Amino acid sequence: MERKNCWKEYSEKRLEKLEDYAKEYMHFLNHAKTERECCDTVVNMVEKEGFEDLAKLIKEQKKLKEGDKVYATWMNKAVILMQIGKKPMEQGMNMIVSHIDSPRLDVKPDPLYEKEGVAYLDTHYYGGIKKYQWVTIPLAIHGVVIKKDGTTIEVCLGEDKDEPVVFISDLLPHISQEQMEKTADKLFSGEALDIVIGNRPVKKEEEDKEPVKTKVLELLQEYYDMEEEDFLSAELEIVPAGKAREAGLDRSMIMAYGQDDKVCAYAAVHALLHAKDMIKTSVVMLADKEEIGSYGATGMTSRFFENMIAEVMHLCGEESELAFRRAMSSSNLLSADVSSVYDPMFEEAFEKKNAAFLGGGLVFNKVTGSRGKSGANDANAEYLAALRAILDEEEVIYQFAEYGRIDLGGSGTVSHILAEYAMNVVDCGTAVMNMHAPYEVTSKADAYETMRGYKAFFEH
Ligand code: MN
Ligand code: MN
């Protein structure tokens, strides 16, 4: 089996395009740390390229034809993009689905408290994290506070170099003998991941048992016009502060928060915007809640996505329930999610022949799941053969991999949810080092090759 390395294969011209793509992708990451920000950023991107709001088209009952481009959002956290192809939708669509939520710490409904002169925000972690990785690093607060009158207050604190950050403390090594005896999973409990948000009390003359908390509340009032009770209807996410960075002396990698799964989400959107001559209707779905099981009105199990496809079919004059069922079952889907990557520092966790390598290109995971493939979507060999043919024709570099050594754990994606419609589905995305850590790492070449692969898929 030949394994390619993108860097060895690329022409000067392709390297130039790769750097342009990496720049655009990093810019996107800086404006899309949360699912809400990602949703807004994608809508802004596609509106510039002539995509129209489906909600408006439905109201006007405007007929759609080949080449028309539409988008729809749901609760500001999920997006679907569609470009109408030459063939009727009943004959199937080319779909790429990815997710735009990432592991993080969510602020609890009653979060603010003071302990011995330090004010904290209580958090509840979201997604599968190694808790010890999230302490002692600069953190930012992103999200919204919705007031009772419906006013939305947008919060984004800690990203500008002049703005303060927040953090979680750890014990100094000098007196950590007892702490260091704990196993890594016990080092920090979920309840211990509370954010330090203040240390300055209100003035002495004011009689107050919690003077630091009072000061924080005063500032929240001043900055965001919010009361303590407004935390009840807020969605505040604590994420690593700072921008995406190039990594390595050779600048071959990107280090940034939330690349699972924005690296695939961005690739899918970019591919759709740049693909030419699409015969079939092309669809990009960006779902929320993947990291916690894909439930909820904005998760992949929500009817939102199929509702929007049904609406578009209606506007295309394809009315029947049967046509919809045929459209779904004859579609081809790439479940665009990140894959693990072989880490030479942890070689015992991998079976090298069947691992993905940094710089090895777009990754296919034929199976996911754990304990004997349990819970896996297993892609059909026929489908994989057809995809290999397309990617080889377009000179896209790809690799096939499993997540790690058998029985070390496993993973799940949204692929099984769409496979329920009986369509062809395979997991296919970018390899990520430090996955689910505050700062995840990808190879620029893999991010670029992922986009090239998705584009080839849409064009065939
Ligand atoms: Mn993912
Ligand atoms: Mn994940």
Side-chain angles (χ1 to χ4, degrees):
M1 288 266 197
E2 191 204 0
R3 273 190 181 275
K4 284 187 178 153
N5 182 299
C6 298
W7 299 104
K8 290 186 181 171
E9 306 285 327
Y10 286 158
S11 64
E12 281 305 313
K13 202 174 155 218
R14 192 152 281 172
L15 283 169
E16 241 169 67
K17 285 190 175 165
L18 168 150
E19 292 297 344
D20 289 345
Y21 179 76
K23 259 192 212 98
E24 289 170 35
Y25 166 51
M26 287 166 73
H27 180 80
F28 173 81
L29 284 173
N30 294 339
H31 293 87
K33 283 196 175 178
T34 67
E35 55 281 17
R36 283 176 187 266
E37 290 169 0
C38 201
C39 192
D40 283 351
T41 305
V42 168
V43 167
N44 286 336
M45 267 171 77
V46 302
E47 274 185 338
K48 279 187 204 132
E49 303 294 328
F51 279 71
E52 289 188 90
D53 187 354
L54 185 58
K56 183 171 150 272
L57 301 179
I58 293 169
K59 215 179 259 169
E60 297 164 358
Q61 282 299 296
K62 195 184 156 215
K63 291 287 165 220
L64 292 172
K65 55 176 192 318
E66 185 193 332
D68 283 348
K69 298 179 269 193
V70 300
Y71 73 85
T73 60
W74 203 242
M75 298 175 182
N76 304 315
K77 293 186 234 178
V79 196
I80 185 168
L81 312 172
M82 295 176 73
Q83 180 161 342
I84 313 301
K86 272 194 188 65
K87 284 190 181 169
M89 287 172 71
E90 188 176 339
Q91 292 180 29
M93 296 162 268
N94 284 335
M95 304 180 173
I96 300 182
V97 52
S98 149
H99 68 91
I100 53 177
D101 60 316
S102 299
R104 60 180 189 250
L105 308 172
D106 284 339
V107 173
K108 283 188 185 181
D110 181 2
L112 190 58
Y113 68 96
E114 177 176 342
K115 212 172 166 182
E116 309 303 331
V118 182
Y120 292 94
L121 271 188
D122 209 333
T123 72
H124 192 153
Y125 70 101
Y126 174 100
I129 60 167
K130 287 178 158 179
K131 300 184 192 82
Y132 65 82
Q133 293 177 334
W134 291 70
V135 304
T136 73
I137 58 170
L139 299 168
I141 308 175
H142 289 233
V144 293
V145 181
I146 316 291
K147 308 248 287 179
K148 277 198 288 183
D149 66 0
T151 323
T152 302
I153 304 155
E154 306 229 9
V155 178
C156 180
L157 183 76
E159 297 296 351
D160 194 273
K161 64 174 177 14
D162 299 324
E163 286 171 357
V165 293
V166 290
F167 66 95
I168 299 164
S169 66
D170 193 1
L171 192 60
L172 63 165
H174 313 64
I175 52 170
S176 287
Q177 206 167 321
E178 282 176 13
Q179 186 203 31
M180 296 306 274
E181 283 162 16
K182 294 181 185 173
T183 52
D185 64 320
K186 303 253 163 44
L187 212 44
F188 288 88
S189 68
E191 289 297 354
L193 295 182
D194 290 353
I195 305 298
V196 175
I197 196 170
N199 179 230
R200 176 177 167 182
V202 285
K203 285 229 162 70
K204 196 162 88 184
E205 54 266 28
E206 295 167 50
E207 213 28 70
D208 198 328
K209 282 204 185 89
E210 299 180 310
V212 180
K213 175 178 167 178
T214 303
K215 181 76 184 170
V216 169
L217 281 170
E218 279 179 16
L219 292 170
L220 288 174
Q221 181 73 55
E222 185 188 328
Y223 295 163
Y224 303 114
D225 187 29
M226 71 177 279
E227 321 264 324
E228 191 174 10
E229 280 74 19
D230 291 328
F231 277 117
L232 295 173
S233 49
E235 286 176 5
L236 296 172
E237 304 179 7
I238 310 297
V239 297
K243 291 184 159 63
R245 307 284 295 264
E246 292 177 302
L249 198 61
D250 54 11
R251 298 174 188 265
S252 59
M253 296 165 283
I254 293 168
M255 188 169 206
Y257 167 71
Q259 298 201 72
D260 173 8
D261 189 29
K262 277 97 171 187
V263 66
C264 297
Y266 184 73
V269 175
H270 192 280
L272 180 66
L273 294 181
H274 292 84
K276 298 201 170 60
D277 305 322
M278 289 177 276
I279 310 283
K280 287 183 180 177
T281 293
S282 302
V283 184
V284 170
M285 291 184 258
L286 305 179
D288 177 29
K289 301 281 183 283
E290 192 274 344
E291 296 294 356
I292 55 168
S294 295
Y295 303 106
T298 53
M300 198 60 237
T301 51
S302 160
R303 295 272 182 251
F304 162 64
F305 298 98
E306 69 166 52
N307 288 350
M308 292 306 110
I309 288 168
E311 293 282 4
V312 167
M313 287 189 75
H314 171 74
L315 296 179
C316 287
E318 297 185 64
E319 307 275 351
S320 76
E321 161 83 19
L322 193 58
F324 171 76
R325 283 173 184 271
R326 285 176 178 160
M328 294 302 274
S329 65
S330 49
S331 285
N332 293 316
L333 176 91
L334 298 183
S335 171
D337 209 343
V338 295
S339 176
S340 65
V341 72
Y342 181 85
D343 186 333
M345 282 298 184
F346 301 94
E347 56 183 350
E348 65 288 349
F350 299 91
E351 190 270 285
K352 207 170 161 185
K353 293 196 304 336
N354 290 285
F357 287 81
L358 274 186
L362 175 61
V363 184
F364 284 90
N365 293 127
K366 184 182 190 292
V367 286
T368 51
S370 53
R371 292 162 285 105
K373 303 188 177 183
S374 178
N377 172 70
D378 189 353
N380 269 319
E382 289 85 345
Y383 185 41
L384 294 174
L387 290 168
R388 282 175 59 211
I390 292 168
L391 299 180
D392 284 341
E393 189 187 324
E394 299 293 336
E395 294 176 342
V396 174
I397 299 168
Y398 58 89
Q399 47 188 336
F400 275 62
E402 295 199 349
Y403 243 72
R405 220 180 69 214
I406 292 172
D407 289 340
L408 276 190
S411 84
T413 65
V414 300
S415 54
H416 69 98
I417 301 161
L418 284 132
E420 282 186 30
Y421 294 100
M423 64 179 75
N424 267 318
V425 177
V426 65
D427 284 293
C428 155
T430 317
V432 173
M433 196 175 258
N434 299 355
M435 195 194 291
H436 285 204
Y439 300 98
E440 301 174 314
V441 172
T442 56
S443 158
K444 280 182 186 172
D446 295 336
Y448 179 57
E449 218 56 20
T450 300
M451 182 279 290
R452 289 187 65 239
Y454 293 171
K455 184 164 167 276
F457 169 76
F458 280 140
E459 289 173 343
H460 285 76

